[in-house]
Amino acid sequence: MIVARTRVVDEYAEDGEAVVLLADGQVIALSPLASSVLGELAEGPQTLETLAARLVAEYGAPPGDADAVDTTRGVVDELAAQGLLVSSP
Amino acid sequence: MTASSTARPTVAVSALGVRVDVDLPDHAVAESFARAWEACLQPDNGDCVDMRAHVTGEDLAEHSPDSALELLTQRVTIEAIGARAGQLLMFHACALADDAGRAVVMVGPSGTGKTTMARTHGRRWRYVTDETAAIDVDGALLAYPKPLSVSREGSVKAQVSPGDAGLRVAREPLRVAKVLLLERREEPVDVEVRPVGTVPAIARLAEHTSYLARMERPLARIARLLHDTGDLLTVQYAEAADLTPLLADLLGEGESAR
């Protein structure tokens, strides 16, 4: 799966928190994890696996037996539902 | 006001720094309109603003005077906001100021009671606006002392000038001292004030703006406002008068306490 950012009209970050303005006027405050995902994709699309590996490097492995790629997919799906990411198989 | 008896009357008002020429359906409506907008009348000889807009009320001849005035007031605000899109940070808010020009901007959705808030406190402090708080790129707040929409019997509201409502009108220059986000409750509650950090505050405030996406770096503009004025405060309350102590904290005691 390839994950890419959609175009945002504006974004603002301060103290590790970020907020983005979408073209439809919606403004969304992002969690630190969501900010990191968007930050990792700032340079261009990534595969889900690469994205997961980078998040593990930043935050460590997800707790328990959770799989990093599955956890990342969950975050990506959430951000895609908000219109911040698109993914293609 | 052009008082020719044959031509349709026109009244020029100043709204958010825009000269809005308003065509009125007849002289009676023109007179009522000019009275309601007395705090915003554009002097015929002075054209100090460089933006113009036009509102026509010619289609309103069949409306009752109150209904025509209500629609015209809405049209003036819509035109002015549209003309300043991309330039001003514009909140759906009422605002009050002290005599020195320090202002509290109270942001809230329709139905929060912004007009009631302005009427309740605009004698003790000064009336800036009951609808649109507009801040320019230098951080100056524009006075927009439009008529207040006051409920009469039925669904139509009367447009009352701030002077006729007994309010003192704020004069520019104005600076924002504090931004509040109003959360009015129907049931009686104690006033509760909570600070909100900058980034979540931007998201909360953005919901109550006009044409945000048309601005250059709008989120940083909101952030700058919050850096200049301290944390956004959400204010839970039931009655406008409940906020007197908070406003006195933010703006000083005002007129009646002297």
Side-chain angles (χ1 to χ4, degrees), chain B residues 12-171:
Chain B
V13 297
S14 172
L16 306 178
V18 180
R19 177 191 166 114
V20 185
D21 292 301
V22 185
D23 295 339
L24 286 316
D26 59 53
H27 285 280
V29 173
E31 212 164 284
S32 308
F33 179 86
R35 174 152 188 170
W37 280 86
E38 64 180 3
C40 299
L41 288 181
Q42 175 79 30
D44 274 343
N45 53 355
D47 202 346
C48 54
V49 287
D50 52 5
M51 303 199 60
R52 294 182 78 130
H54 190 246
V55 160
T56 178
E58 288 168 3
D59 56 321
L60 301 176
E62 304 301 314
H63 286 247
S64 72
D66 274 353
S67 165
L69 286 180
E70 184 178 12
L71 289 165
L72 286 165
T73 293
Q74 291 166 2
R75 288 177 187 181
V76 170
T77 299
I78 289 166
E79 282 302 317
I81 288 174
R84 300 310 304 266
Q87 301 171 352
L88 299 175
L89 185 53
M90 295 183 280
F91 293 107
H92 308 147
C94 66
L96 296 155
D98 65 14
D99 289 353
R102 296 171 66 253
V104 171
V105 170
M106 293 180 265
V107 178
S110 302
T112 316
K114 294 192 289 288
T115 298
T116 305
M117 190 63 75
R119 285 179 75 199
T120 304
H121 299 292
R123 298 164 198 244
R124 183 162 178 171
W125 292 285
R126 287 180 179 272
Y127 173 63
V128 179
T129 181
D130 71 340
E131 187 162 338
T132 305
I135 299 161
D136 74 13
V137 71
D138 299 319
L141 174 68
L142 277 63
Y144 183 34
K146 58 179 277 293
L148 296 97
S149 294
V150 176
S151 292
R152 283 201 186 154
E153 286 182 29
S155 58
V156 175
K157 291 179 169 178
Q159 307 302 306
V160 179
S161 77
D164 284 344
L167 308 187
R168 299 190 303 143
V169 172
R171 298 286 172 211

Side-chain angles (χ1 to χ4, degrees), chain A residues 9-14 17-23 27-29, chain B residues 198-200 202-203 206 212-213 215-220 223 227:
Chain A
V9 175
D10 192 17
E11 52 188 304
Y12 180 83
E14 186 179 307
E17 291 182 292
V19 59
V20 295
L21 170 63
L22 304 184
V27 175
I28 300 171
Chain B
T198 305
V199 169
I202 292 170
L212 197 62
M215 293 173 70
E216 190 97 2
R217 303 302 318 274
L219 303 178
H227 291 157

